[in-house]
Amino acid sequence: MTAIRGPGIFLAQFAADAAPFNSLPAITKWAAGLGYKGVQIPTWDRRLFDLELCAESQTYADEVAGVCFEAGVEITELSTHLQGQLVAVNPAYDAAFEAFAPAAVKGNRQARQDWAVAQVINAGRAARNLGLAGTVSFTGSLAFPFLYPWPQRPAGLIDEAFAELARRWTPILNAYDEVGVDIGFELHPGEDVFDGASWEMFLSAVAEHPRARINYDPSHFLLQAMDYLAFIDLYHDRISAFHVKDAEFRPDGRQGVYSGYSAWPERAGRFRSLGDGQIDFGAIFTKLTQRGYRGWAVMEWECFLKSPVQGAAEGAPFIEQHLIEVTGQAFDDFAGGQVDRAALCAMLGIAE
């Protein structure tokens, strides 16, 4: 039996109006047919899932779980990435993120935030009804427009931004604690929490809340030129979810991490289908297994070149071949095992 569960697939990038991507029964059968054993469900897509109903109705939750079981997959997590983004929106991003909000709250920042908070809390309740350990989400962005400051930021600006994040997220985290569910935040440029340093600031601001966890996605770290393996060593005790997504970073004399406003095909850093990028997934699966991660490995497909159909077909066997069956004995442990103290002392040449 493998330590990490998988392969799983995040359905958000595949949901569409045409079959088999337009209903939960059809898309789960499609995923299972490709070899996936788990699906991560986007809670904002009513073609696949009714979040409010699942938060309120155990009967509906059981029906959703039954649909997945009939298809041959399990639910890995519920995703609230879009709603989580709207929990905290800097005014500079209002126009860009209005598309994530329902018509009834567009143009009203407080109403939009209130709606987003209710959505994320409902996801925790829905996860409980589904018997899940956690959800995955974003923190939102209040401070990110001030990431690389010139002129220098006013003193206290970042502290106040993270204090406000804590004021908004702590009640949500408390609600999750009440239902016994974690939130795995995806650390992602564009969010206020995008690397280890910003994660530590956020975690401190929410008083080390036990429900605040990490959705580990190495692609975002490669594109920041971070050591994504050392990240696991530092924060493994908070990693509750894992997005298996590849990327490549090829800086040159014209562009680097910021990529000069280029479109995705021309950027120095680009997301790729699994196996087409530069990420050492063998080392990642080894490190996560060694550090005790026992959750799902979920493919999140994003690629500037390859089709999603091909990417999905290749993703399941790619993850499968990286899963590790943990041994119970070291390779050279021929004479190991328990012996009594007298034997140990004799081996060392000391008095018992």
Side-chain angles (χ1 to χ4, degrees):
M1 183 175 181
T2 60
I4 298 175
R5 305 184 71 188
I9 184 171
F10 187 21
L11 298 178
Q13 286 88 0
F14 301 95
D17 289 333
F21 308 110
N22 58 350
S23 72
L24 189 64
I27 200 170
T28 51
K29 289 177 183 176
W30 165 80
L34 293 176
Y36 291 100
K37 299 176 182 177
V39 293
Q40 191 175 91
I41 297 179
T43 61
W44 59 86
D45 197 323
R46 285 184 173 269
R47 292 171 296 192
L48 308 183
F49 185 73
D50 188 323
L51 175 59
E52 291 82 359
L53 186 56
C54 195
E56 298 169 359
S57 170
Q58 186 62 55
T59 299
Y60 175 74
D62 292 343
E63 290 174 359
V64 169
V67 165
C68 294
F69 179 80
E70 287 290 325
V73 296
E74 297 180 49
I75 303 171
T76 65
E77 297 91 11
L78 299 180
S79 161
T80 61
H81 284 83
L82 300 193
Q83 302 100 314
Q85 180 67 64
L86 298 185
V87 169
V89 180
N90 185 285
Y93 295 151
D94 273 342
F97 291 133
E98 282 283 77
F100 296 167
V105 300
K106 289 182 186 294
N108 185 326
R109 289 176 185 163
Q110 189 60 56
R112 181 184 63 199
Q113 178 186 328
D114 292 344
W115 172 84
V117 168
Q119 286 273 298
V120 178
I121 289 176
N122 274 339
R125 294 169 178 162
R128 178 214 35 212
N129 289 342
L130 290 165
L132 303 178
T135 69
V136 289
S137 197
F138 282 148
T139 62
S141 311
L142 298 176
F144 199 80
F146 304 98
L147 174 67
Y148 199 79
W150 186 88
Q152 288 298 308
R153 294 182 290 253
L157 179 68
I158 301 303
D159 291 339
E160 183 55 38
F162 277 81
E164 179 61 23
L165 277 182
R167 285 190 287 269
R168 298 186 189 191
W169 278 104
T170 298
I172 300 173
L173 291 165
N174 289 340
Y176 271 61
D177 200 36
E178 290 175 4
V179 296
V181 175
D182 294 331
I183 305 180
F185 293 101
E186 185 169 346
L187 278 53
H188 185 301
E191 309 302 311
D192 284 347
V193 181
F194 59 91
D195 61 5
S198 55
W199 165 251
E200 291 175 14
M201 293 178 68
F202 178 72
L203 195 58
S204 176
V206 296
E208 306 282 330
H209 202 291
R211 295 299 173 182
R213 315 286 281 187
I214 295 170
N215 177 27
Y216 176 76
D217 185 334
S219 68
H220 302 306
F221 301 148
L222 180 86
L223 299 188
Q224 297 178 71
M226 285 175 55
D227 186 335
Y228 50 80
L229 296 176
F231 183 95
I232 297 172
D233 288 329
L234 289 168
Y235 308 111
H236 60 89
D237 60 331
R238 289 280 177 168
I239 295 174
S240 63
F242 173 24
H243 270 176
V244 189
K245 187 168 68 177
D246 213 341
E248 62 183 1
F249 180 50
R250 305 184 187 279
D252 57 27
R254 296 181 61 247
Q255 56 172 289
V257 170
Y258 298 109
S259 290
Y261 297 109
S262 298
W264 276 110
E266 288 79 41
R267 292 177 66 87
R270 306 182 292 195
F271 297 128
R272 300 301 309 272
S273 283
L274 291 183
D276 294 342
Q278 298 169 325
I279 292 178
D280 186 349
F281 282 104
I284 287 174
F285 275 82
T286 297
K287 182 78 72 172
L288 284 172
T289 301
Q290 180 184 2
R291 286 296 194 175
Y293 177 72
R294 298 297 182 263
W296 284 89
V298 177
M299 185 192 76
E300 182 183 21
W301 177 87
E302 292 179 11
C303 185
F304 81 98
L305 184 62
K306 185 172 285 184
S307 78
V309 172
Q310 183 181 1
E314 295 173 349
F318 182 91
I319 293 175
E320 188 75 49
Q321 72 183 14
H322 283 88
L323 296 174
I324 297 171
E325 295 184 14
V326 179
T327 180
Q329 178 177 316
F331 74 95
D332 58 352
D333 187 13
F334 302 115
Q338 295 294 322
V339 297
D340 60 27
R341 185 169 184 274
L344 294 176
C345 291
M347 292 172 69
L348 295 171
I350 61 176
E352 185 176 351

